[in-house]
Amino acid sequence: MNRNYNPLSRANPHVRRLHAYVPGQQPSGGDWVKLNTNENPYPPSPKVLEAIQAELAGEGTRLRLYPNPLSMPLRQALATHHGLKPDQVQAGNGCDDVLNLLMRAFAGPERPAGMMIPSYSLYSVLADIQQAKMIEVPFDRSMALDPEAIRTCGANLFFLTSPNAPTGVGFPRAEVEKAVAAFEGIFVLDETYAPFAGEDAVALLARHPNLVIVRSFSKAFSLAGMRVGYAMASAEIIELLDRVRDSYNLDRLAQVAALAALADTAYYAKTTADILAVRAQMADWYAYKGWFCYPSATNFHFVEPQTSTGETGAGVAESLYNALSARRVLVRYFPKHPLTQGFLRVTLGTENEMQRYRDAVDSWLKTH
Amino acid sequence: MNRNYNPLSRANPHVRRLHAYVPGQQPSGGDWVKLNTNENPYPPSPKVLEAIQAELAGEGTRLRLYPNPLSMPLRQALATHHGLKPDQVQAGNGCDDVLNLLMRAFAGPERPAGMMIPSYSLYSVLADIQQAKMIEVPFDRSMALDPEAIRTCGANLFFLTSPNAPTGVGFPRAEVEKAVAAFEGIFVLDETYAPFAGEDAVALLARHPNLVIVRSFSKAFSLAGMRVGYAMASAEIIELLDRVRDSYNLDRLAQVAALAALADTAYYAKTTADILAVRAQMADWYAYKGWFCYPSATNFHFVEPQTSTGETGAGVAESLYNALSARRVLVRYFPKHPLTQGFLRVTLGTENEMQRYRDAVDSWLKTH
């Protein structure tokens, strides 16, 4: 065999042009205040640990057996939780898995996908992998929805993040419904952050058969480390996702962890309330500073930093980002788009973590 | 929105013709002797449980954080284990995930995949999802490899299961090398069952840059429930797989479980030896009965049952399959192919489990 063999020449042509998605940094050392990937600052429910321990009983012998290939107990519990039927729910290895299945079923070289810009950049990565064109529908600085722009964009599969990331802006259900009703293709509503918002759009499933709602256990349920997400839609759409799904996509411990989390509503009501209290404090603090910040319906803020002389912009945001990193406070900066490059996305952590963040900001302000 | 909305009309045309893969039955009640999906009869190493417990320390607070997106500690350990570099290893959510990544990178409408028939039927399912033609290279009853048939088959990406399933037949490394050397595309050697064989083909990676070896933690490591598999290849091929990979494809507990399993070679040497001892006993028993059974290099046998009057064939295999099921002994039957329909695939369980299986066979023989 030729030592100069080039595997790239054997790859699909569109794969030759791909770049891997770059997730937010996961620093491994201690002492970081990690406000960059919208993780929950509180541990998962103690019931989650109990459920994992129970699954490990008998020297962990159940781990030698394949998991339930359909994650059926979890699908059933999710259906009950949302007032749906089990065949209306699909479970995935994180909601990224579910988003990928949607892309594989409904997008391709002749079926463009569409998304709002700015929103979750992974949609574009998944479209590229599927060799599907991605149609970008721009927000303006108001970050308001424009159902007419979505209706006429030409996508076969549209992704709306609601509440949106990285802006944190929530869309009223009535506005979302206008967009879903106007759009003729498959409409994916990514409600990863919905548990932090005042309302969600699950009720729309009953009257909009083109709607798919995607949820995650990573944020409100404190289980980013376990990779569980799900989709809700008509039974017909869910069955199509099963056709392109890896048959054992959720391991045993992920299934039982998600099941137990879903059941402990009291615990998560408390942790969510704590996050919302911090959100209100932080919004007040930004207002006091005179910094513009989008109203957040999520567990993070998208804020436009100002220097002490009132300057804003990309240079200011980058300067603060670097100053925070130097003090081991990690936030997220999106320099590539005019609507994001003057902002930082800051996850809502514990009160102590936010205090360290505020101290770092104030320290930066002394010299900027 | 029209109540008669048909989401199928929005799906990619090839998806409209797909059927979901049907995995082996996973009966949920107790009392079954489960010899149908080649699971290991022994629990995972106690070190696996310790590692999971350690990851759950501090009220499970680490579960709120995303896992290492590259599974880097696991990749490093796998590289060391096999004498490779970390950039030569890709970790997946089960080896099905890895096989899917290979299909997405190297197969498509204009890049056919190829496989031996009979072997692992999932390859065809994954090719269908990728809209790639699957070229089937037939075995004859000898189940011997024909490198020339693989070389000329026209596939861009070829899958060889070695040792093979469902036959259990192992291919000598020298034979595998002939096939890899003859083939110009990407050659995937699925070594899921290699830990039960006398030799593997990892050494071939150093001289065949078109070779990808896929492994699993599901069988020899008793971790089917945790979904961990991996690929070994050139750094160039591994980088291509990263481009089409879900960025957080392995959860935290799966990563630490696999790491701990890999480290406990003494434990798994013992459980594997126990399985091989049962394999020898069962081979003797089949020989004593005069039943044809392929020599197994795996943790299962592919055996051709005979009635007490010496009849074989599809009717005989199906009759025994049903009789075993009625006695709650579950094995696997593949009725669709002439080379498999007279056979049953029987996983090697504990001695007690095999005794229950043999008793059920003997009971069937009294009336057949």
Side-chain angles (χ1 to χ4, degrees), chain A residues 173-313:
Chain A
R173 186 193 299 148
E175 290 297 302
V176 170
E177 180 159 25
K178 279 183 207 165
V180 175
F183 186 70
E184 293 189 353
I186 303 291
F187 195 105
V188 179
L189 194 66
D190 181 344
E191 287 199 337
T192 290
Y193 297 101
F196 303 107
E199 61 179 11
D200 65 32
V202 176
L204 302 185
L205 286 169
R207 47 186 191 269
H208 296 284
N210 64 328
L211 177 61
V212 182
I213 295 181
V214 173
R215 289 285 185 99
S216 172
F217 279 86
S218 296
K219 314 297 184 184
F221 288 107
S222 301
L223 286 174
M226 289 308 290
R227 318 304 307 122
V228 187
Y230 59 104
M232 299 177 274
S234 69
E236 289 78 9
I237 289 176
I238 296 303
E239 192 274 328
L240 283 166
L241 300 184
D242 268 324
R243 297 186 194 186
V244 295
R245 184 176 63 82
D246 178 5
S247 41
Y248 293 106
N249 60 336
L250 260 88
D251 69 47
R252 286 182 167 269
L253 301 185
Q255 290 190 34
V256 299
L259 254 176
L262 194 67
D264 198 353
T265 44
Y267 176 85
Y268 289 108
K270 173 76 170 65
T271 55
T272 299
D274 289 350
I275 290 166
L276 299 194
V278 167
R279 184 169 83 190
Q281 284 169 20
M282 290 304 301
D284 287 349
W285 189 72
Y286 293 132
Y288 173 78
K289 287 234 164 329
W291 290 12
F292 174 73
C293 176
Y294 286 102
S296 171
T298 63
N299 68 334
F300 59 87
H301 275 121
F302 199 56
V303 64
E304 187 175 39
Q306 276 184 31
T307 63
S308 49
T309 57
E311 283 177 273
T312 58

Side-chain angles (χ1 to χ4, degrees), chain A residues 26-39:
Chain A
Q26 304 290 350
S28 49
D31 191 36
W32 280 90
V33 176
K34 194 167 174 306
L35 307 175
N36 68 325
T37 48
N38 300 338
E39 288 144 336

Side-chain angles (χ1 to χ4, degrees), chain A residues 116-139:
Chain A
M116 302 301 301
I117 293 290
S119 74
Y120 186 29
S121 62
L122 183 75
Y123 307 139
S124 285
V125 174
L126 297 177
D128 287 345
I129 294 173
Q130 182 64 1
Q131 210 184 342
K133 184 181 167 191
M134 177 54 86
I135 297 167
E136 301 186 340
V137 177
F139 280 112

Side-chain angles (χ1 to χ4, degrees), chain B residues 116-118 138-146 164 166-171 292 294 302 337 339-340 343:
Chain B
M116 303 300 301
I117 294 289
F139 279 112
D140 62 23
R141 193 171 152 116
S142 76
M143 299 294 167
L145 267 191
D146 179 355
N164 196 23
T167 64
V169 174
F171 307 113
F292 174 73
Y294 286 102
F302 200 55
H337 192 280
L339 287 176
T340 64
F343 286 73

Side-chain angles (χ1 to χ4, degrees), chain B residues 244-261:
Chain B
V244 295
R245 183 177 63 83
D246 178 5
S247 42
Y248 293 105
N249 59 336
L250 259 87
D251 69 48
R252 285 181 168 269
L253 301 185
Q255 290 190 33
V256 299
L259 255 177

Side-chain angles (χ1 to χ4, degrees), chain B residues 152-236:
Chain B
T152 58
C153 77
N156 188 62
L157 174 70
F158 195 85
F159 294 87
L160 175 66
T161 321
S162 175
N164 196 23
T167 64
V169 174
F171 307 113
R173 187 194 297 148
E175 289 297 303
V176 170
E177 181 159 25
K178 279 183 207 164
V180 176
F183 186 69
E184 293 189 353
I186 304 290
F187 195 106
V188 179
L189 193 66
D190 181 343
E191 286 199 338
T192 289
Y193 297 102
F196 303 107
E199 61 178 12
D200 65 32
V202 176
L204 302 185
L205 287 169
R207 45 186 192 268
H208 296 285
N210 64 329
L211 177 61
V212 182
I213 295 181
V214 173
R215 290 283 185 102
S216 171
F217 280 85
S218 296
K219 314 297 183 183
F221 289 107
S222 302
L223 286 174
M226 290 308 290
R227 318 304 306 123
V228 187
Y230 59 103
M232 300 178 273
S234 69
E236 289 78 8

Side-chain angles (χ1 to χ4, degrees), chain A residues 21-30 32-39 218-219 224-225 227 321 328 330-332 345 347, chain B residues 62-73 247-248 252 255:
Chain A
Y21 174 75
V22 181
Q25 270 182 275
Q26 304 290 350
S28 49
W32 280 90
V33 176
K34 194 167 174 306
L35 307 175
N36 68 325
T37 48
N38 300 338
E39 288 144 336
S218 296
K219 314 297 184 184
R227 318 304 307 122
Y321 174 82
R328 298 179 82 78
L330 200 56
V331 301
R332 195 86 187 257
R345 194 191 68 185
T347 304
Chain B
R62 270 180 236 164
L63 299 188
R64 70 185 181 81
L65 299 171
Y66 282 93
N68 185 305
L70 298 168
S71 303
M72 196 44 87
S247 42
Y248 293 105
R252 285 181 168 269
Q255 290 190 33

